[in-house]
C-alpha cells in the first residue's frame, strides 16, 4: 500500500467497458433514464407560490430634484426592493440584470421633479427580470400603489391638484426575458437540473454498493486496480445517460412547452457535462460511504430534497431567508439552475455563466477527491 | 529469506472487534508446492488467505509473499497472485468471455484477445462464450473462476474451496490440472474440507479457532496427532459405539462402512477401555490412523482448549 501502481488508461478502459456492458443489461437503469424525466415533466406543471421581498434592484437616477428620491425611499419602505447599486447608464444596468445580480432596474428620467410639478404626469420605467415570474410578481403588483401614495403625501395644499385620478406618475413596467410571464418557462429548464441531480446521484450511488452486495468487490479488490481507475471508470458511462436525459428534456421543452431558447445549445451541453460530472462524483462518493444499496438511496434523498427546496427550483431563491440561501449556494443544482435559465431565457454567453460554472466544477473535483480517499482497498 | 519460499510469513494475526480470528499463524510454502489448508468452518482459513493478498489488513505479522513484503507491498503481490474467492465473485451479468476479457485488462495481459480465446478453448466453453456467467451451473462457475485466476499467469494461486459443489469427474480433472501446473513451478495454497483432496496435497496445515495446530506431510500430520486406532466389526455397531463413547479412554468411535473406528491419543487407556468388548461376535484389529481420524481428534481437542 506504500507503492501504488501507476494510473493505467488500459485498466480504466477495461472498467468503462465493463460498466457499459452491465448498464446495457440493467433494465432499471434504462427505466430511470427515461422514466424519471417523463414523470417529472408531467408532474411539475405548476409552481408553488411565495412572496419574496428585499429583491436587489439597481437605479438609474437622472433626476436632480427631490421627488425622485422620495419615490425610491417609498419603494425601499415597501420592503420589496433593496437598492444595491446606483449606475450611471442604462447599459450598465442591463449588464447587472443579465448576470442576475439584480432583479430590477428603476429608471427615473431627467427632469422628473420638474415634470411632476408641472402636472405633466412623468413616467418612470421599471425593468424586471421576469424569468422567474414568481419572484417578481408581487413586487411589481405593489409598485403602482407604492409610488402614488408616496407622492400623494408630499403633494398637498396647492399641489394637491396634481393628484390626478390616474396618479401623478405613470409607472411603466417592462418584463424582460419572459415577457408573457409563463411559469413553465422557468420550471421546465429547472427540471433539467432536478432530474439530472436525482438520477445521476442515484445511479452511481448504487455502483459500488452493488459490487459489495453481490460479492464481486472482493474480486475487484484482489486485482491491481487503483481507486481512481475504478471511480472514474464507473462515472464515464453514466455521462452518456445524463446526456440522453438532457436531450429528452430539451425536446420536451421546445415542442411541448415552447420554452424559448435564446442562448447557445452547445454552451448548454458543455455546462451540462460539468454538472453531470459533479452529480456523478457526489453519487460515487456516497457509494463509498454507504454500507448497502438501501443506504445509498437514502443518502441520495438526503441531498436531493434540500437541493430542490433550496436551489431556487421550488421557491424563488431570493425569497428564502439568508441562512437558507447560504446552504443553497453549496448545491450544484443552485448554480446550474441560474445557468440554464440564463442561457435559455436570457441568451447568456460563456462570460455570463463562468462565475456559476466554476463553482460546479470545484464541487465535482472535491467530491471526487473525497470519493478516492474514502474508497477502501481492503475488505475491513 | 529463503528464495525457494513462495510464502514465508510469521505471526499473522487478524482481529474482528476484539475477537482474534487468526492467531499468530506461521506458514511457509515452497515454490511449486501444493499446500492444503484445512480446518473447521469459521476457523479462519478465508481470513488468512485474504491477509496474504492484501484484501484484509493484518493486525500483526510479517514476512514475504513471492519475495514482496506481505504488509507493505500488497499491490505488487496482487499482480502476481491469483485469488479464487470461496463464493463465486465474477460478474453474473457479464458473459464468460466478457469476464475473462475484463480480468485480462485489469492485469494488462499481453495479447489479450488471443489469451482469452485460448482460455475459453481450454475450458471447453468455446460454443458458450456468450452465455452470462450467472446462468452457469455451480460447477461451471468454479471452472470459470479458476480459468479467470490463471489468465494473467500468476506465480501463486490462493484457492478458497475451489471444488465445493463440483462433481467427482470435474474434481479429478481439476486436481490433474493443479498437479500439472505445480510441476511447471506454480505454487498453490488450497483450502478444502475433503479428505481425499487433502491427501493429494504435498503438505498440509490444520487450523482451528485461528490457531495452527499441525502442519507437514499427510504422514507427519497423522504422526503429530499421535493417534491409536482400532477397527471393530460385528453386529449392532451403533449400540456398541454408544457404549464405547461413554468409556473415558475412548475419544472417537466413528462408523466407517461395516466397521467402527475407535481411537484415542492414549494407547494404553484405549486398550483398557476396549478390553471388556474384545470378545466374539466382535472382531478387533489395530489399524493405522487415517487423516480424517487425526483431524477429528484435532477438532475435538481444540474445542476443549477453547471452551472454558
Ligand atoms: N468481516 C468480518 N467481520 C467480522 N467477523 C468476521 C469477518 N470475516 C470473518 N469473520 C469471522 O471470522 C471467523 C473466521 O472466518 P473465515 O471466513 O476466515 O473462516 P473459514 O475458515 O474460511 O470458514 P469456512 O470453512 O466456513 O469457509 C468466523 O468466525 C467469522 O465469523
Ligand atoms: Mg472460508
Amino acid at each position: 500500500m506504500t507503492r501504488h501502481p501507476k494510473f493505467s488508461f488500459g485498466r480504466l478502459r477495461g472498467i468503462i467497458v465493463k460498466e457499459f456492458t452491465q448498464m446495457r443489461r440493467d433494465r432499471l437503469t434504462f427505466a430511470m433514464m427515461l422514466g424519471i424525466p417523463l414523470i417529472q415533466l408531467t408532474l411539475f406543471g405548476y409552481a408553488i407560490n411565495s412572496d419574496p421581498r428585499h429583491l436587489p434592484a439597481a437605479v438609474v437616477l437622472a433626476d436632480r430634484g427631490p421627488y425622485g428620491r422620495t419615490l425610491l425611499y417609498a419603494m425601499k419602505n415597501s420592503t420589496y426592493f433593496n437598492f444595491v447599486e446606483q449606475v450611471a447608464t442604462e447599459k450598465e444596468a442591463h449588464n447587472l440584470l443579465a448576470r442576475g445580480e439584480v432583479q430590477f432596474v428603476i429608471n427615473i428620467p431627467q427632469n422628473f421633479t420638474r415634470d411632476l410639478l408641472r402636472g405633466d404626469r412623468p413616467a418612470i420605467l421599471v425593468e424586471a427580470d421576469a424569468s422567474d415570474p414568481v419572484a417578481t410578481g408581487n413586487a411589481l403588483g405593489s409598485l403602482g400603489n407604492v409610488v402614488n401614495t408616496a407622492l400623494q403625501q408630499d403633494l398637498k395644499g396647492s399641489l394637491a391638484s396634481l393628484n390626478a385620478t390616474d396618479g401623478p406618475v405613470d409607472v411603466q413596467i417592462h418584463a424582460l426575458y419572459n415577457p408573457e410571464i409563463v411559469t413553465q418557462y422557468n420550471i421546465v429548464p429547472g427540471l433539467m437540473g432536478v432530474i439530472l441531480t436525482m438520477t445521476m446521484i442515484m445511479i452511481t450511488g448504487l455502483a459500488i454498493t452493488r459490487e459489495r452486495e453481490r460479492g464481486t468487490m472482493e474480486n475487484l479488490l484482489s486485482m491491481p486496480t487503483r481507486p481512481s481507475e475504478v471511480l472514474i471508470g464507473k462515472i464515464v458511462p453514466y455521462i452518456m445517460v445524463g446526456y440522453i436525459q438532457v436531450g429528452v428534456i430539451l425536446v420536451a421543452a421546445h415542442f411541448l412547452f415552447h420554452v424559448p431558447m435564446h442562448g447557445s445549445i452547445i454552451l448548454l451541453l458543455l455546462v451540462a457535462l460539468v454538472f453531470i460530472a459533479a452529480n456523478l462524483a457526489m453519487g460515487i462518493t456516497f457509494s463509498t460511504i454507504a454500507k448497502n444499496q438501501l443506504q445509498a438511496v437514502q443518502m441520495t434523498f438526503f441531498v436531493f430534497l434540500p437541493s430542490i427546496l433550496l436551489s431556487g427550483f421550488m421557491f424563488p431563491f431570493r425569497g428564502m431567508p439568508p441562512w437558507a440561501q447560504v446552504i443553497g449556494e453549496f448545491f450544484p443544482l443552485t448554480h446550474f439552475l441560474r445557468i440554464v435559465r440564463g442561457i435559455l431565457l436570457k441568451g447568456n454567453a460563456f462570460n455570463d455563466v463562468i462565475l456559476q460554472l466554476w463553482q460546479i466544477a470545484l464541487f465535482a473535483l472535491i467530491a471526487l477527491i473525497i470519493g478516492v480517499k474514502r474508497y477502501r482497498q481492503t475488505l475491513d | 529469506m529463503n528464495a525457494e519460499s513462495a510464502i514465508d510469513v510469521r505471526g499473522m494475526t487478524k482481529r474482528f472487534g476484539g475477537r482474534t480470528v487468526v492467531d499468530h499463524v506461521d506458514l511457509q510454502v515452497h515454490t511449486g508446492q501444493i499446500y492444503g489448508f484445512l480446518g473447521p468452518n469459521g476457523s479462519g482459513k478465508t481470513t488468512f488467505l485474504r491477509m496474504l493478498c492484501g484484501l484484509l489488513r493484518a493486525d500483526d505479522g510479517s514476512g514475504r509473499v513471492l519475495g514482496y513484503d506481505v504488509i507493505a507491498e500488497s499491490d505488487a503481490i496482487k499482480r502476481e497472485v491469483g485469488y479464487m474467492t470461496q463464493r463465486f465473485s465474477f460478474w453474473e451479468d457479464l458473459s464468460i468471455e466478457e469476464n475473462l476479457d475484463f480480468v485480462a485488462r485489469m492485469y494488462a495481459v499481453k495479447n489479450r484477445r488471443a489469451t482469452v480465446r485460448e482460455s475459453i478453448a481450454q475450458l471447453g466453453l468455446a460454443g458458450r462464450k456468450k452465455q452470462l456467467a450467472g446462468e452457469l451451473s455451480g460447477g461451471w462457475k468454479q471452472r470459470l473462476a479458476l480459468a479467470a485466476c490463471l489468465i494473467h499467469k500468476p506465480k501463486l494461486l490462493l484457492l478458497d474451496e475451489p471444488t465445493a459443489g463440483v462433481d467427482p469427474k470435474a474434481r479429478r480433472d481439476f486436481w490433474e490440472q493443479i498437479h500439472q501446473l505445480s510441476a511447471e513451478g506454480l505454487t498453490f495454497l488450497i483450502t478444502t474440507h475433503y479428505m481425499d483432496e487433502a491427501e493429494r496435497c504435498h503438505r498440509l496445515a490444520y487450523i482451528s479457532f485461528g490457531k495452527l495446530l499441525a502442519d507437514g506431510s499427510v504422514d507427519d500430520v497423522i504422526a503429530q496427532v499421535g493417534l491409536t486406532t482400532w477397527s471393530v466389526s460385528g453386529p449392532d455397531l451403533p449400540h456398541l459405539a454408544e457404549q464405547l463413547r461413554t468409556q473415558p479412554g475412548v475419544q472417537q468411535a466413528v462408523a466407517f462402512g461395516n466397521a467402527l473406528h475407535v481411537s484415542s491419543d492414549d494407547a494404553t487407556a484405549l486398550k483398557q477401555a476396549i478390553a471388556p468388548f474384545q470378545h466374539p461376535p466382535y472382531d478387533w484389529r489395530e489399524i493405522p490412523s487415517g487423516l480424517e481420524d487425526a483431524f477429528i481428534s484435532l477438532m475435538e481437542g481444540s474445542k476443549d482448549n477453547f471452551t472454558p
Side-chain angles (χ1 to χ4, degrees):
Chain A
M1 276 154 259
T2 42
R3 242 177 291 157
H4 280 301
K6 276 222 172 71
F7 185 92
S8 146
F9 281 96
R11 275 199 298 269
L12 175 62
R13 211 172 135 207
I15 292 167
I16 294 174
V17 170
K18 162 182 165 290
E19 292 296 324
F20 247 120
T21 318
Q22 288 184 294
M23 186 174 82
R24 205 154 38 83
R25 300 208 172 112
D26 181 16
R27 293 224 186 97
L28 188 67
T29 306
F30 265 102
M32 271 168 73
M33 185 165 79
L34 294 175
I36 290 181
L38 293 178
I39 291 170
Q40 302 241 18
L41 281 169
T42 326
L43 285 181
F44 283 92
Y46 62 91
I48 290 166
N49 222 323
S50 167
D51 185 16
R53 285 162 190 260
H54 303 288
L55 300 167
V59 192
V60 186
L61 182 61
D63 179 42
R64 295 265 165 87
Y67 286 109
R69 295 199 178 275
T70 307
L71 248 182
L72 293 177
Y73 190 72
M75 286 169 76
K76 186 159 174 261
N77 265 354
S78 76
T79 70
Y80 279 115
F81 301 91
N82 180 21
F83 295 106
V84 291
E85 295 225 30
Q86 175 160 4
V87 290
T89 68
E90 214 163 310
K91 187 161 179 306
E92 271 175 78
H94 277 157
N95 279 340
L96 291 175
L97 209 54
R99 268 181 270 136
E101 285 174 30
V102 296
Q103 192 93 35
F104 300 102
V105 173
I106 318 287
N107 287 286
I108 300 188
Q110 234 175 339
N111 304 329
F112 173 77
T113 302
R114 193 196 69 195
D115 293 350
L116 181 74
L117 293 174
R118 276 194 197 157
D120 283 351
R121 210 166 172 267
I124 64 165
L125 175 65
V126 176
E127 290 167 296
D129 173 356
S131 57
D132 184 352
V134 182
T136 46
N138 285 354
L140 292 178
S142 72
L143 201 56
N145 213 3
V146 167
V147 167
N148 288 320
T149 42
L151 293 172
Q152 267 160 18
Q153 287 170 4
D154 277 27
L155 301 176
K156 290 200 177 115
S158 60
L159 298 174
S161 62
L162 298 176
N163 288 324
T165 36
D166 302 339
V169 176
D170 175 19
V171 179
Q172 295 184 354
I173 292 170
H174 277 190
L176 270 69
Y177 310 128
N178 183 2
E180 302 98 76
I181 314 204
V182 181
T183 320
Q184 268 88 349
Y185 289 0
N186 188 45
I187 292 281
V188 174
L191 264 186
M192 185 187 295
V194 170
I195 289 164
L196 286 175
T197 301
M198 179 159 169
T199 29
M200 295 295 100
I201 300 181
M202 182 114 79
I203 285 179
T204 40
L206 299 177
I208 298 219
T209 42
R210 193 191 299 128
E211 301 264 10
R212 214 172 284 140
E213 269 176 40
R214 291 187 185 167
T216 50
M217 200 63 190
E218 186 176 4
N219 204 336
L220 195 61
L221 288 177
S222 75
M223 299 179 197
T225 46
R226 293 200 49 155
S228 48
E229 292 160 2
V230 176
L231 298 188
I232 297 173
K234 280 176 174 293
I235 284 178
V236 169
Y238 296 112
I239 290 180
M240 193 197 75
V241 175
Y243 267 125
I244 291 178
Q245 295 191 322
V246 170
V248 169
I249 298 160
L250 281 178
V251 167
H254 185 70
F255 291 103
L256 296 181
F257 297 99
H258 310 289
V259 174
M261 300 192 180
H262 293 304
S264 150
I265 296 298
I266 305 284
L267 177 62
L268 181 65
L269 293 180
L270 181 84
V271 172
L273 178 67
V274 180
F275 180 66
I276 290 169
N279 284 305
L280 291 176
M282 176 160 39
I284 209 104
T285 300
F286 285 168
S287 191
T288 61
I289 296 168
K291 292 214 162 50
N292 51 48
Q293 299 198 41
L294 181 65
Q295 278 191 6
V297 172
Q298 286 169 336
M299 287 169 101
T300 305
F301 276 93
F302 193 72
V303 167
F304 178 68
L305 289 179
S307 46
I308 71 174
L309 292 176
L310 301 181
S311 61
F313 173 75
M314 214 61 138
F315 312 111
F317 194 78
R318 292 197 171 109
M320 302 190 311
W323 61 266
Q325 295 195 12
V326 169
I327 298 174
E329 291 286 345
F330 282 98
F331 296 112
L333 181 59
T334 307
H335 302 283
F336 185 68
L337 288 185
R338 291 177 193 160
I339 297 179
V340 180
R341 288 169 181 168
I343 293 176
L344 289 182
L345 304 181
K346 303 183 190 173
N348 275 179
F350 185 75
N351 286 337
D352 301 311
V353 304
I354 184 70
L355 189 71
Q356 306 291 337
L357 188 59
W358 76 262
Q359 300 188 55
I360 302 178
L362 183 70
F363 184 96
L365 189 70
I366 292 174
L368 191 62
I369 290 173
I370 295 175
V372 170
K373 290 257 180 275
R374 285 277 328 184
Y375 179 83
R376 275 158 294 173
Q377 273 189 298
T378 62
L379 293 168
D380 319 63
Chain B
M1 186 58 49
N2 189 347
E4 291 287 293
S5 290
I7 301 175
D8 187 0
V9 293
R10 267 157 282 110
M12 296 302 284
T13 301
K14 182 72 196 175
R15 296 184 198 95
F16 285 119
R19 206 159 61 91
T20 308
V21 165
V22 175
D23 193 358
H24 294 92
V25 170
D26 303 344
L27 194 76
Q28 202 176 32
V29 181
H30 292 299
T31 304
Q33 239 171 17
I34 302 174
Y35 209 106
F37 202 52
L38 290 97
N41 292 134
S43 53
K45 302 180 296 294
T46 301
T47 307
F48 182 74
L49 293 190
R50 284 174 174 171
M51 282 194 287
L52 287 186
C53 60
L55 280 177
L56 285 175
R57 229 181 291 275
D59 291 310
D60 200 359
S62 61
R64 302 202 154 248
V65 173
L66 297 172
Y68 301 109
D69 190 296
V70 67
I71 307 292
E73 296 180 300
S74 54
D75 281 315
I77 293 173
K78 282 178 187 175
R79 273 197 293 274
E80 295 179 20
V81 167
Y83 170 53
M84 180 170 163
T85 55
Q86 180 169 356
R87 201 183 128 199
F88 182 72
S89 64
F90 286 87
W91 289 268
E92 303 210 339
D93 47 356
L94 294 184
S95 71
I96 294 165
E97 188 183 27
E98 287 158 353
N99 267 301
L100 292 171
D101 189 70
F102 175 69
V103 177
R105 280 185 200 260
M106 289 305 105
Y107 289 99
V109 171
K110 296 211 176 64
N111 297 324
R112 198 183 80 241
R113 279 169 214 283
T115 312
V116 169
R117 209 179 309 121
E118 209 174 294
S119 165
I120 292 173
Q122 240 168 32
L123 262 175
L125 284 176
R128 292 160 67 185
K129 65 183 184 184
K130 298 263 180 263
Q131 196 174 354
L132 296 187
E135 294 169 359
L136 291 172
S137 75
W140 277 106
K141 279 183 183 163
Q142 297 291 83
R143 292 192 221 185
L144 168 62
L146 181 68
C149 289
L150 286 168
I151 211 156
H152 63 292
K153 308 224 169 5
K155 294 189 181 130
L156 168 65
L157 277 158
L158 306 174
L159 308 180
D160 201 354
E161 298 191 28
T163 56
V166 173
D167 70 53
K169 167 76 171 60
R171 262 172 66 191
R172 179 167 295 178
D173 294 347
F174 170 82
W175 278 93
E176 287 286 300
Q177 195 187 354
I178 299 286
H179 273 276
Q180 207 174 332
L181 291 166
S182 121
E184 292 167 19
L186 248 79
T187 312
F188 290 88
L189 182 57
I190 305 181
T191 73
T192 177
H193 290 295
Y194 298 118
M195 287 308 121
D196 60 317
E197 294 192 346
E199 284 169 355
R200 279 172 164 151
C201 295
H202 298 130
R203 280 174 80 89
L204 298 174
Y206 186 87
I207 183 177
S208 183
F209 291 95
K211 285 200 161 71
L212 197 68
L213 298 183
D215 71 319
S217 67
V218 174
D219 293 340
D220 289 345
V221 170
I222 296 172
Q224 276 172 38
V225 178
L227 219 55
T228 308
T229 304
W230 287 78
S231 170
V232 53
S233 55
D236 200 9
L237 291 176
H239 180 64
L240 179 64
E242 234 167 81
Q243 284 179 300
L244 283 168
R245 282 186 195 123
T246 60
Q247 301 287 320
V250 174
Q251 285 171 342
Q252 294 177 42
V254 188
F256 272 90
N258 293 324
L260 200 62
H261 288 188
V262 187
S263 42
S264 167
D265 54 11
D266 186 341
T268 23
L270 182 63
K271 198 140 195 189
Q272 275 173 10
I274 63 172
F277 305 94
Q278 282 184 307
H279 52 71
Y282 298 116
D283 179 17
W284 290 85
R285 271 183 308 121
E286 191 174 345
I287 54 164
S289 300
L291 195 56
E292 184 163 305
D293 303 321
F295 283 150
I296 290 173
S297 169
L298 283 170
M299 220 185 278
E300 305 274 310
S302 65
K303 215 188 278 168
D304 294 344
N305 288 345
F306 279 85
T307 42

